[in-house]
């Protein structure tokens, strides 16, 4: 090898560098030494003999652009080593601090431009060196590049703003408030994921209209900020002898290149609300305020959140992303970009699309999916079980490999490209940088495997919707569409008859009424197209129902409910299995149909049969709700209330779906509905407690880890027999002395604190949000009813129960248990309950009072028609309440001699206890339990059919006679 100068060769060994790269490195080395003065030359000679020799060989062989910087500024590398910055990461605030200090000596825009370019180039050298030598992981590289850009934009803006204020005066609002430009970063810079040669996509805006003051002439604020924006772009983008800082792309602003460079907050919001397009939603996913009035910018981005993230599931995003990908694929073919690792099949863009797909569909509900960084989103998708762990692992590995490849490509010449090199040396350098040495084929193999995996996952997630084979269809899609386009009622009826509808005339009437209704006639464009694409699919599915017309009747309110949010129709069009499950569930239960119509957000549950038809145990429910609430800021009560409601709605739907399909027996239904309520109450107490703590401090003495508060459940919740529409009978109790004062800035005595806690709990449970109330709450069973205190002290509750309570209140106490709050206070209450229930009583008087109360209840709650025409399962003679009253009587009458009768609060286990104590025969007990289960099973079925709890006199007649016989024997016989 002939050397270009007299300086000593590097004597590169074959194991240090591929031979083909070594020659160029020798040339670079000789050129560098020729450019250096003696001092730097000696430093480089010593450096290449040190333990860092291999780093220099890698950097010089893989980045001629880095070599060029070393040739221009030989001292930069030495400075980094001297300052210990080459082999360690920089603190987050180091970039801004250093650049501000450098710019203190700048007196002109030209001086600023030179300083910015030197700063960028010097740190670009450091970042590339660390990246190629894997001294920094990919995540640090993109973070450093983004911090570099943030600092350059912020410092340049501050300098240029001050300069322009001197020339034009200070921009102020109409109220005289100083105004600043807001710089919003989009794309990779917005996400903090900038690559080595990225453009930076920016949007400029400012808070309020107004004019400048204090200058030689007055400008309106927009003119001032347009001029400032132009100067900022020139400072960053203009190519000088020192290069550029960052290429600036402003095409993502409202109206693109044809729009004004800068507009106000109000104009920006109005644009997105009125004219914002799908691709602009995707762009704003990564929006971040990086310079200027950052607090105002953050508030602006919060106001734009509803445009980006819909509050409902937005499956229309899949369609739009699919269209965007198709456009990119056409461009890839047109420009021969198959070797482009960003835009080509299985490239970086497809991984981004996968993440964006879930963000746009679910980000309005899952706030963690509103994060900026792609890797964070992928991890969230795994933790939320939206993607399997294996898929996320493959996507994360592919993303890291592709981003490292992208950086190695760009490090070669500092060019904005993601195209695989087409020259031998550049390709060899890429292979070497990626850890494959001179085995270029091995690099290509690994790259191809990553891209194949990404392409497969992308195709699975953003694939075209499934299409039913024609031979399984009752009518072709064209036939259905022709019927809908004509919409002649006779033709509709005839077509439905041909498809097998049972009551085709009624179905035709319903369909014509729907499509001629005002809501449909007002629909336009894409929304109307979606409806007419959806209807043939759902009508085809209805043909498989036993009662298509009746099921259509139940579905129409749901269709009407989503006419203004047709993304839900897209969800069903994209997922045929979910659509079929919708038909099955709505045919089985009008209650389920009504729930879906009232809350279309629940349609998401239909996507996964495994979760829809399986209900977790209480521990699983508690863990899931806890995880949901942990993702929400503790001071965001509205979001917490929405999360609680969504949790309850989804799990109650799962219980109902499991029941109507036969996978969950009656007793389990009530158990799970009870578990859901208990988990919700526990979470509501946590939220309410923390909310009050923030305002008033804690009344609990220091060192005491109890809250001294419990929620007591009466009635169905207390008896573990909750139904789908049951309200919650609750009583609140505390056991702190009234003299105790909370330790916050606004202290309260204990009684007031716990009263406000109770009020907050009721508010969280009953507030009518967009998802409705959590539960209806009945507090009338507390001591003294509605006239009593909202929260009872333990002492007051005990005194009331011992000296003032009526017999019916002691009956109610049979079914009471603590369902949330402190374990110690719950134990105290349980002991008190046992004492009260076990008090000695006059059996004859007790029996008369129980029978009298039963008759009053029947007279009050049953109408004359109920008494004569049909049997009321709950209140009728020989029905559920008769069994409940006999159980309560047994507990109150015999607990003094048989304490185990107080151990349970549900009727079935109390009946079993009566048998174990020898008070009722085992056979009679089982007969009563069987009757009780039969009544409740019938009541559940009627509830899901949205029918009153009335059945024909002949139904369950044997069970009624058995219960009536026991009532006569136990309650009426002398």
């Amino acid at each position: 090898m002939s050397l270009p100068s007299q300086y000593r060769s590097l004597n590169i060994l074959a194991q240090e560098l591929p031979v083909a790269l070594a020659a160029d490195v020798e040339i670079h080395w000789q050129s560098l030494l020729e450019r250096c003065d003696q001092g730097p030359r000696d430093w480089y000679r010593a450096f290449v003999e040190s333990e860092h020799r291999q780093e220099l060989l890698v950097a010089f062989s893989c980045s001629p652009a880095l070599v060029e910087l070393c040739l221009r500024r030989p001292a930069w590398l030495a400075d980094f080593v001297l300052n210990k910055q080459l082999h360690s990461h920089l603190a987050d605030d180091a970039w801004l601090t250093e650049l501000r200090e450098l710019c203190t000596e700048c007196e002109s825009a030209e001086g600023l431009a030179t300083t910015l370019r030197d700063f960028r180039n010097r740190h670009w050298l450091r970042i590339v060196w660390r990246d190629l030598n894997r001294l920094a992981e990919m995540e640090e590289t993109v973070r450093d590049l983004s911090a570099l850009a943030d600092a350059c934009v912020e410092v340049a803006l501050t300098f240029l703003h001050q300069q322009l204020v001197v020339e034009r005066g200070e921009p102020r609002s109409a109220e005289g408030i100083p105004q600043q430009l807001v710089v919003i970063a989009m794309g990779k810079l917005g996400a903090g994921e900038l690559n080595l040669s990225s453009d930076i996509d920016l949007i400029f805006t400012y808070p309020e209209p107004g004019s400048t003051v204090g200058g030689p002439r007055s400008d309106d604020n927009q003119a001032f900020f347009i001029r400032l924006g132009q100067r900022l772009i020139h400072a960053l983008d203009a190519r000088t002898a020192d290069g550029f800082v960052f290429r600036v792309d402003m095409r993502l602003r409202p109206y693109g290149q044809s729009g004004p460079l800068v507009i106000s907050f109000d104009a920006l919001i109005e644009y997105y609300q009125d004219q914002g397009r799908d691709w602009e939603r995707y762009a704003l996913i990564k929006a971040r305020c990086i310079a200027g009035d950052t607090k105002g910018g953050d508030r602006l981005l919060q106001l734009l959140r509803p445009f980006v993230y819909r509050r409902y599931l937005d499956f229309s995003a899949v369609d739009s992303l699919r269209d965007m990908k198709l456009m990119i694929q056409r461009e890839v073919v047109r420009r021969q970009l198959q070797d482009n690792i960003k835009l080509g099949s299985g490239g970086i863009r497809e991984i981004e699309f996968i993440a964006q797909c879930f963000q746009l569909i679910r980000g309005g509900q899952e706030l963690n999916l509103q994060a900026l960084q792609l890797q964070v989103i992928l991890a969230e998708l795994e933790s939320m079980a939206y993607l399997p762990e294996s898929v996320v692992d493959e996507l994360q590995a592919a993303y890291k490999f592709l981003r490292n490849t992208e950086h190695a490509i760009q490090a070669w010449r500092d060019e904005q490209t993601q195209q695989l090199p087409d020259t031998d040396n550049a390709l060899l350098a890429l292979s070497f940088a990626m850890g494959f040495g001179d085995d270029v084929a091995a690099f290509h193999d690994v790259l191809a495997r990553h891209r194949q995996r990404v392409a497969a996952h992308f195709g699975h997630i953003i694939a075209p919707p499934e299409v039913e084979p024609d031979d399984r269809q009752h009518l072709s899609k064209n036939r259905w569409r022709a019927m809908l386009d004509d919409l002649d009622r006779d033709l509709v009826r005839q077509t439905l008859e041909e498809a097998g509808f049972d009551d085709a005339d009624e179905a035709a009437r319903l369909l014509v009424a729907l499509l001629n209704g005002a809501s449909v006639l007002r629909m336009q464009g894409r929304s109307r197209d979606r409806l007419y694409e959806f209807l043939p699919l759902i009508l085809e599915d209805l043909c498989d129902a036993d009662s298509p017309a009746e099921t259509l009747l139940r579905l129409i309110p749901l269709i009407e409910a989503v006419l203004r949010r047709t993304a839900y129709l897209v969800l069903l069009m994209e997922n045929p299995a979910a659509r079929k499950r919708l038909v099955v569930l709505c045919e089985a239960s009008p209650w389920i149909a009504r729930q879906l119509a009232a809350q279309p957000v629940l349609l998401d549950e239909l996507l996964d049969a495994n979760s829809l038809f399986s209900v977790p145990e209480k521990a699983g429910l508690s863990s899931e709700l806890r995880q949901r609430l942990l993702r929400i800021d503790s001071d965001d009560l509205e979001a917490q209330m929405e999360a609680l409601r969504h949790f309850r709605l989804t799990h109650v739907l799962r219980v109902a779906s499991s029941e109507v399909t036969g996978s969950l027996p009656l007793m389990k239904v009530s158990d799970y509905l009870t578990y859901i309520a208990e988990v919700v109450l526990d979470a509501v107490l946590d939220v309410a407690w923390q909310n009050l703590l923030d305002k008033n401090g804690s009344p609990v003495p220091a060192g005491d880890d109890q809250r001294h508060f419990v929620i007591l459940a009466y009635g169905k919740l207390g008896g573990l027999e909750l139904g789908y529409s049951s309200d919650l009978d609750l009583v609140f109790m505390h056991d702190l002395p009234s003299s105790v004062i909370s330790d916050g800035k606004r202290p309260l005595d204990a009684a007031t604190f716990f009263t406000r806690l109770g009020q907050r709990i009721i508010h969280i449970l009953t507030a009518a949000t967009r998802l409705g109330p959590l539960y209806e709450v009945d507090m009338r069973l507390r001591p003294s009813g509605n006239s009593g205190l909202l929260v009872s002290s333990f002492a007051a509750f005990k005194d009331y129960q011992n000296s003032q309570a009526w017999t019916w209140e002691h009956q109610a106490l049979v079914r009471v248990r603590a369902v949330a709050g402190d374990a110690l206070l719950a134990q105290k209450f349980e002991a008190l309950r046992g004492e009260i229930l076990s008090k000695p009583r006059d059996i004859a008087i007790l029996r008369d009072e129980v029978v009298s109360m039963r008759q009053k209840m029947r007279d009050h709650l049953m109408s004359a028609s109920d008494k004569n025409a049909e049997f009321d399962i709950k209140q009728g003679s020989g029905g559920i309440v008769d069994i409940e009253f006999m159980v309560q009587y047994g507990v109150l009458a015999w607990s003094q001699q048989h304490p185990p009768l107080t151990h349970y609060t549900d009727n079935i286990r109390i009946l079993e206890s009566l048998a174990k104590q020898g008070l009722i025969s085992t056979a009679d007990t089982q007969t009563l339990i069987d009757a009780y289960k039969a009544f409740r099973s019938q009541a559940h079925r009627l509830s899901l059919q949205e029918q009153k709890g009335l059945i024909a006199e002949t139904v369950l007649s044997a069970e009624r006679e058995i219960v009536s016989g026991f009532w006569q024997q136990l309650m009426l016989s002398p």
Side-chain angles (χ1 to χ4, degrees):
M1 179 187 303
S2 61
L3 300 180
S5 76
Q6 74 275 24
Y7 300 113
R8 190 173 63 186
S9 165
L10 286 170
N11 295 318
I12 300 170
L13 303 176
Q15 60 265 34
E16 291 179 312
L17 275 184
V19 174
L21 297 178
D24 285 342
V25 172
E26 286 283 8
I27 294 171
H28 296 328
W29 175 250
Q30 298 296 332
S31 298
L32 175 62
L33 296 183
E34 286 178 355
R35 294 277 189 97
C36 289
D37 294 332
Q38 189 61 43
R41 186 181 302 129
D42 291 342
W43 182 89
Y44 273 102
R45 284 170 170 163
F47 185 77
V48 83
E49 296 298 330
S50 72
E51 71 271 22
H52 302 302
R53 170 185 171 86
Q54 186 63 30
E55 294 175 24
L56 183 140
L57 297 180
V58 170
F60 276 33
S61 64
C62 295
S63 179
L66 179 145
V67 173
E68 180 62 30
L69 289 176
C70 288
L71 292 173
R72 286 164 50 192
R73 298 295 184 92
W76 279 355
L77 187 62
D79 288 344
F80 279 129
V81 173
L82 180 65
N83 295 329
K84 298 182 179 180
Q85 292 181 326
L86 193 65
H87 297 100
S88 60
H89 73 273
L90 293 183
D92 291 343
D93 59 353
W95 310 86
L96 204 53
T97 300
E98 179 184 345
L99 185 55
R100 280 174 174 162
E101 185 176 342
L102 291 171
C103 287
T104 55
E105 300 178 5
C106 294
E107 297 180 354
S108 65
E110 291 74 18
L112 172 70
T114 299
T115 301
L116 289 173
R117 282 153 180 75
D118 277 357
F119 181 75
R120 181 268 182 189
N121 290 333
R122 191 162 57 85
H123 278 287
W124 191 90
L125 182 153
R126 172 189 170 274
I127 291 169
V128 172
W129 184 287
R130 288 176 57 77
D131 183 76
L132 290 175
N133 283 289
R134 296 296 178 259
L135 300 174
E137 293 293 326
M138 179 273 291
E139 292 80 5
E140 181 182 330
T141 296
V142 298
R143 187 169 62 248
D144 281 2
L145 288 163
S146 301
L148 173 62
D150 287 354
C152 290
V153 174
E154 171 66 25
V155 172
L157 178 62
T158 300
F159 181 93
L160 296 169
H161 178 91
Q162 293 168 350
Q163 186 184 65
L164 194 58
V165 165
V166 173
E167 297 176 19
R168 300 277 174 169
E170 182 179 54
R172 296 190 179 183
S173 68
E175 292 76 26
I177 300 172
Q179 303 286 290
Q180 285 185 290
L181 188 71
V182 173
V183 180
I184 297 172
M186 312 288 278
K188 282 189 165 57
L189 178 56
E193 298 170 340
L194 210 60
N195 63 42
L196 284 176
S197 300
S198 284
D199 289 354
I200 56 174
D201 297 296
L202 304 178
I203 291 177
F204 298 154
T205 181
Y206 63 96
E208 298 180 54
S211 57
T212 60
V213 296
R217 52 169 294 180
S218 179
D219 277 344
D220 69 75
N221 284 353
Q222 185 175 31
F224 178 95
F225 287 122
I226 287 176
R227 186 172 282 107
L228 178 59
Q230 291 168 337
R231 292 187 182 186
L232 178 60
I233 293 169
H234 183 77
L236 298 170
D237 188 271
R239 186 176 288 275
T240 70
D242 300 308
F244 57 87
V245 186
F246 288 97
R247 290 175 291 267
V248 178
D249 191 334
M250 299 295 299
R251 290 175 296 175
L252 294 181
R253 69 185 188 270
Y255 305 104
Q257 289 176 304
S258 63
L261 186 65
V262 190
I263 59 176
S264 68
F265 282 10
D266 285 345
L268 192 76
I269 293 169
E270 182 179 359
Y271 169 82
Y272 285 121
Q273 287 177 342
D274 296 344
Q275 302 182 50
R277 291 158 290 182
D278 283 343
W279 69 263
E280 288 173 306
R281 286 182 62 203
Y282 311 150
L284 283 170
I285 282 178
K286 296 182 181 295
R288 178 172 62 94
C289 185
I290 62 167
D293 181 4
T294 53
K295 290 184 178 179
D298 290 340
R299 288 195 299 271
L300 171 67
L301 293 179
Q302 280 300 119
L303 292 173
L304 292 175
R305 285 289 184 222
F307 168 69
V308 183
Y309 297 106
R310 307 296 197 240
R311 299 187 74 172
Y312 51 85
L313 290 173
D314 185 11
F315 270 79
S316 63
V318 181
D319 221 14
S320 299
L321 285 170
R322 199 178 286 138
D323 291 343
M324 287 179 62
K325 179 57 182 175
L326 187 60
M327 291 172 57
I328 292 172
Q329 286 173 336
R330 290 171 182 157
E331 189 71 0
V332 166
V333 172
R334 186 181 70 81
R335 294 169 54 194
Q336 296 295 302
L337 299 177
Q338 288 83 355
D339 284 338
N340 188 297
I341 62 166
K342 176 182 178 180
L343 301 179
S345 176
I348 296 169
R349 180 57 55 83
E350 289 190 355
I351 304 176
E352 292 173 341
F353 273 15
I354 290 171
Q356 288 175 336
C357 179
F358 285 98
Q359 285 184 278
L360 292 169
I361 292 172
R362 300 180 181 277
Q365 295 179 340
E366 301 284 3
L367 299 186
N368 281 25
L369 293 181
Q370 295 183 15
L372 298 173
Q373 295 82 13
L374 182 141
Q375 289 175 292
V376 172
I377 296 299
L378 290 177
E380 287 294 334
L381 292 175
E382 179 187 331
S383 69
M384 296 176 185
Y386 290 135
L387 285 178
E389 180 182 1
S390 60
V391 172
V392 171
D393 287 347
E394 289 184 358
L395 291 174
Q396 293 275 31
Y399 182 70
K400 192 165 184 174
F401 189 89
L402 289 168
R403 288 303 305 267
N404 280 329
T405 302
E406 176 186 44
H407 292 154
I409 292 171
Q410 293 175 345
W412 183 252
R413 292 291 184 193
D414 190 12
E415 292 176 344
Q416 187 188 17
T417 179
Q418 288 87 16
Q419 194 77 7
L420 291 173
D422 54 7
T423 63
D424 291 342
N425 264 23
L427 192 56
L428 178 60
L430 174 59
S431 174
F432 182 64
M434 291 299 294
F436 293 88
D438 59 0
D439 195 345
V440 176
F443 163 71
H444 276 301
D445 287 344
V446 174
L447 175 63
R449 283 199 297 273
H450 280 302
R451 292 182 66 175
Q452 287 164 5
R453 291 180 189 132
V454 171
H457 295 315
F458 176 82
H460 177 70
I461 293 167
I462 312 186
E466 303 169 33
V467 178
E468 291 284 339
D470 288 342
D471 58 356
R472 292 184 56 194
Q473 292 184 315
H474 297 81
L475 295 179
S476 69
K477 187 174 181 179
N478 289 339
R479 181 70 183 279
W480 286 119
R481 190 59 192 259
M483 177 195 80
L484 296 171
D485 288 342
D486 190 295
L487 208 61
D488 174 76
R489 180 166 172 176
D490 288 337
L491 175 60
V492 173
R493 177 186 52 76
Q494 179 183 342
T495 306
L496 293 174
E497 282 180 348
E498 183 181 339
F501 271 61
D502 53 340
D503 189 349
D505 189 60
E506 175 63 7
R509 183 189 69 77
L510 293 169
L511 201 55
V512 171
L514 169 70
L515 296 177
N516 283 333
S519 296
V520 172
L521 294 177
R522 284 196 297 267
M523 295 178 76
Q524 295 180 352
R526 187 68 183 126
S527 295
R528 187 179 179 86
D529 291 342
R530 285 175 179 165
L531 175 64
Y532 277 82
E533 290 169 13
F534 167 75
L535 286 173
L537 300 175
I538 196 68
L539 289 169
E540 179 66 28
D541 291 331
L542 281 167
C543 294
D544 294 325
D546 292 333
S547 303
E550 185 177 6
T551 309
L552 176 62
L553 173 64
R554 297 173 184 177
L555 280 170
I556 282 178
L558 170 61
I559 296 171
E560 291 175 331
V562 300
L563 289 180
R564 295 181 62 187
R565 294 172 288 177
T566 55
Y568 287 119
L569 298 180
V570 178
L571 180 155
L572 294 168
M573 287 189 286
E574 295 275 343
N575 298 277
R579 204 170 59 240
K580 292 182 184 300
R581 284 190 277 274
L582 173 67
V583 171
V584 169
L585 293 176
C586 290
E587 181 180 26
S589 169
W591 182 88
I592 291 178
R594 185 167 59 84
Q595 292 296 304
L596 292 170
Q599 304 297 345
V601 66
L602 294 175
L603 289 171
D604 179 39
E605 295 302 307
L606 305 183
L607 296 176
D608 185 355
N610 291 329
S611 64
L612 179 62
F613 299 116
S614 64
V615 186
E617 295 291 340
K618 185 177 178 181
L621 290 167
S622 181
S623 175
E624 179 185 334
L625 182 54
R626 183 171 60 254
Q627 292 300 319
R628 287 196 190 195
L629 292 174
L630 283 174
R631 300 185 189 116
I632 301 171
D633 289 339
S634 59
D635 59 352
D636 192 345
L637 181 59
E638 181 182 356
Q640 291 170 326
M641 289 169 65
E642 291 294 279
L644 287 163
R645 281 153 175 76
H646 188 263
F647 172 84
R648 178 194 173 242
L649 286 168
T650 56
H651 282 287
V652 170
L653 176 66
R654 291 177 186 181
V655 172
S657 301
S658 298
E659 182 177 7
V660 298
T661 55
S663 59
L664 201 61
L666 164 69
M667 299 306 293
K668 286 293 185 180
V669 169
S670 289
D671 285 350
Y672 281 117
L673 292 175
T674 300
Y675 296 158
I676 293 167
E678 290 173 355
V679 166
V680 166
L681 284 172
D682 201 45
V684 167
L685 173 56
D686 284 345
V687 170
W689 180 269
Q690 189 59 49
N691 189 267
L692 213 57
L693 229 60
D694 294 340
K695 295 180 180 179
N696 306 108
S698 173
V700 178
D704 188 343
D705 61 354
Q706 300 293 309
R707 288 180 178 167
H708 295 270
F709 180 89
V710 291
I711 299 176
L712 304 178
Y714 281 64
K716 285 188 170 62
L717 178 58
L720 291 89
E721 296 169 353
L722 213 59
Y724 292 105
S725 302
S726 299
D727 58 8
L728 304 184
D729 296 301
L730 303 178
V731 168
F732 302 144
M733 178 188 290
H734 78 91
D735 68 345
L736 280 182
S738 297
S739 58
V740 173
I741 304 296
S742 67
D743 59 4
K745 294 181 179 178
R746 289 180 282 178
L748 300 172
D749 63 83
T752 304
F753 179 93
F754 287 118
T755 297
R756 293 193 181 175
L757 178 62
Q759 291 168 338
R760 182 53 56 97
I761 290 170
I762 293 172
H763 169 72
I764 295 172
L765 289 170
T766 62
T769 72
R770 68 184 183 92
L771 294 179
L774 254 175
Y775 288 98
E776 297 297 337
V777 174
D778 191 337
M779 300 291 296
R780 291 176 295 177
L781 291 176
R782 68 186 187 271
S784 302
N786 285 337
S787 62
L789 296 174
L790 182 65
V791 183
S792 299
S793 70
F794 179 81
F797 185 91
K798 178 178 181 179
D799 179 68
Y800 179 86
Q801 291 291 340
N802 280 317
S803 60
Q804 301 179 54
W806 297 82
T807 296
W808 68 263
E809 291 177 288
H810 286 172
Q811 285 181 248
L813 199 62
V814 171
R815 293 164 65 104
V816 181
R817 59 193 180 90
V819 292
D822 289 342
L824 292 180
L825 181 52
Q827 291 172 8
K828 284 174 61 178
F829 166 76
E830 183 59 31
L832 173 62
R833 173 180 170 274
E835 292 173 14
I836 295 167
L837 295 179
S838 301
K839 290 174 64 175
R841 293 177 174 85
D842 185 305
I843 300 298
I845 294 175
L846 174 65
R847 184 188 294 120
D848 289 345
E849 289 179 342
V850 172
V851 171
S852 174
M853 177 54 66
R854 178 70 190 99
Q855 190 57 48
K856 287 178 182 177
M857 182 183 289
R858 185 178 287 118
D859 292 341
H860 177 67
L861 296 176
M862 292 180 64
S863 66
S865 60
D866 292 339
K867 294 173 186 175
N868 299 324
E870 296 175 301
F871 174 60
D872 187 317
I873 298 173
K874 183 176 180 181
Q875 296 295 340
S877 178
I880 289 175
V881 177
D882 280 359
I883 298 176
E884 293 174 346
F885 268 51
M886 287 190 285
V887 167
Q888 292 161 12
Y889 167 77
V891 173
L892 295 176
W894 300 319
S895 290
Q896 186 182 21
Q897 295 80 25
H898 303 277
L901 295 182
T902 66
H903 291 176
Y904 300 111
T905 61
D906 60 289
N907 289 309
I908 289 178
R909 285 190 293 181
I910 295 175
L911 282 168
E912 292 171 345
S913 295
L914 288 167
K916 287 180 181 179
Q917 298 300 310
L919 299 168
I920 302 177
S921 71
T922 302
D924 287 346
T925 297
Q926 192 58 51
T927 302
L928 280 174
I929 289 175
D930 290 343
Y932 188 65
K933 287 182 177 179
F935 290 144
R936 286 187 54 206
S937 180
Q938 187 71 36
H940 267 284
R941 284 194 291 271
L942 292 172
S943 174
L944 286 174
Q945 296 303 317
E946 295 200 315
Q947 297 176 14
K948 292 182 179 180
L950 303 175
I951 58 176
E953 285 285 339
T954 55
V955 177
L956 298 177
S957 57
E959 287 82 357
R960 290 169 53 202
E961 288 179 11
I962 290 169
V963 174
S964 294
F966 274 104
W967 180 266
Q968 180 69 34
Q969 177 184 339
L970 184 63
M971 306 302 297
L972 300 180
S973 297

